[in-house]
Amino acid sequence: MSLRVTFVAAARSSPLLAERFEDDRPLDQAGWQEVQRVIGELLPLAAAELRYCSPTPRSRATGEGLGYAPLVQLALRDCDMGRWRGLTLGEAMAREPDLVDAWLADPRATPHGGESLLGFIARVGGWLDTRPVGDGGRIVAVAEPSVIRAAVVYALKAPPSTYWNIDVRPLSTTTVTGLAGRWNLRFDAVPAQSTRP
C-alpha cells in the first residue's frame, strides 16, 4: 500500500527575477496562457482521488484552471519570511546583506523573524506523511515551487542545503511515491507529443 503524490508547480505570476517571498499576487495574463497551453497534458491528473493546493492565489487559480477543483491546504503555504515577505531576494539583500547571508548559510536561522528552512521542510514533510494511505492512492497538489523543493528535500532525506540546488519550473510536475517516512522520487516518461525544445 503506497501513495503517489504528484506536485504541479503553480503558473507564474511575474517574471522570474521579480519573484517575491510569499508572493500572493494572482496569475497574470501570461500565467493564464501558460495554463491553457498545458491543460491537455495536465488534465489527466484531475483523476486523482485527492486534489489539493497551496493557499496562494496563483496556486488556487492554477488548480482551478487545470480542472482539479483542489482543496486548500494551509500546510502547503510558502515559507513564512517574516519582515522579508513581499520582497525579492535582491531587495532583502540590499536592506540586510549580513542577515540574508546568515539565512542562506544556516537552515536553522530565522533572521527575518519568520520560519527557518528546517522548519519549513519539516512542515511540508509532515503534510506529506499524514496523507491518507490507500492501495495505489493518487494525490495531486498544486503548490508554489518553494513548497515542492521542500517536499523533494524531505522525501529524499537530503541535507537542507540541497534545497538551494533544486529548480522547479512553473507548471512542471514532480512525483513522490511511498508512505510516511519512506518516499521515493519518481521520474515519468514525457509523452512524445508534449516534448518541446
Side-chain angles (χ1 to χ4, degrees):
M1 295 199 346
S2 67
L3 292 173
R4 177 182 170 129
V5 182
T6 300
F7 290 96
V8 177
R12 189 172 297 160
S13 61
S14 63
L16 187 58
L17 293 177
E19 286 290 318
R20 299 184 175 280
F21 294 127
E22 292 186 85
D23 195 348
D24 62 358
R25 291 176 289 177
L27 288 184
D28 59 14
Q29 186 61 33
W32 278 112
Q33 289 171 348
E34 289 175 356
V35 169
Q36 294 306 308
R37 276 196 300 272
V38 300
I39 195 166
E41 297 167 39
L42 298 180
L43 184 59
L45 293 172
E49 287 87 0
L50 298 169
R51 297 172 304 280
Y52 300 115
C53 69
S54 294
T56 61
R58 73 179 184 173
S59 291
R60 292 191 321 259
T62 300
E64 292 294 336
L66 292 171
Y68 298 167
L71 177 65
V72 172
Q73 296 285 282
L74 292 179
L76 293 180
R77 68 191 180 282
D78 211 342
C79 186
D80 177 356
M81 296 304 292
R83 69 177 171 278
W84 295 347
R85 184 178 195 271
L87 300 179
T88 65
L89 179 60
E91 290 168 345
M93 183 65 89
R95 293 179 187 188
E96 301 178 307
D98 293 338
L99 295 180
V100 172
D101 285 343
W103 173 67
L104 292 171
D106 182 359
R108 295 174 302 273
T110 58
H112 44 59
E115 186 175 26
S116 71
L117 180 60
L118 273 178
F120 176 49
I121 292 168
R123 170 168 49 84
V124 173
W127 177 86
L128 194 58
D129 281 347
T130 57
R131 293 309 85 211
V133 177
D135 191 14
R138 293 175 301 155
I139 296 172
V140 65
V142 179
E144 296 300 311
S146 60
V147 172
I148 298 169
R149 290 160 61 191
V152 169
V153 170
Y154 182 83
L156 295 179
K157 298 179 181 158
S161 60
T162 307
Y163 177 88
W164 306 115
N165 302 107
I166 300 170
D167 186 19
V168 178
R169 308 307 294 167
L171 295 167
S172 63
T173 61
T174 304
T175 301
V176 295
T177 60
L179 53 138
R182 297 181 62 191
W183 297 100
N184 299 299
L185 188 59
R186 178 177 172 144
F187 295 99
D188 292 314
V190 177
Q193 68 271 19
S194 67
T195 304
R196 290 191 200 103

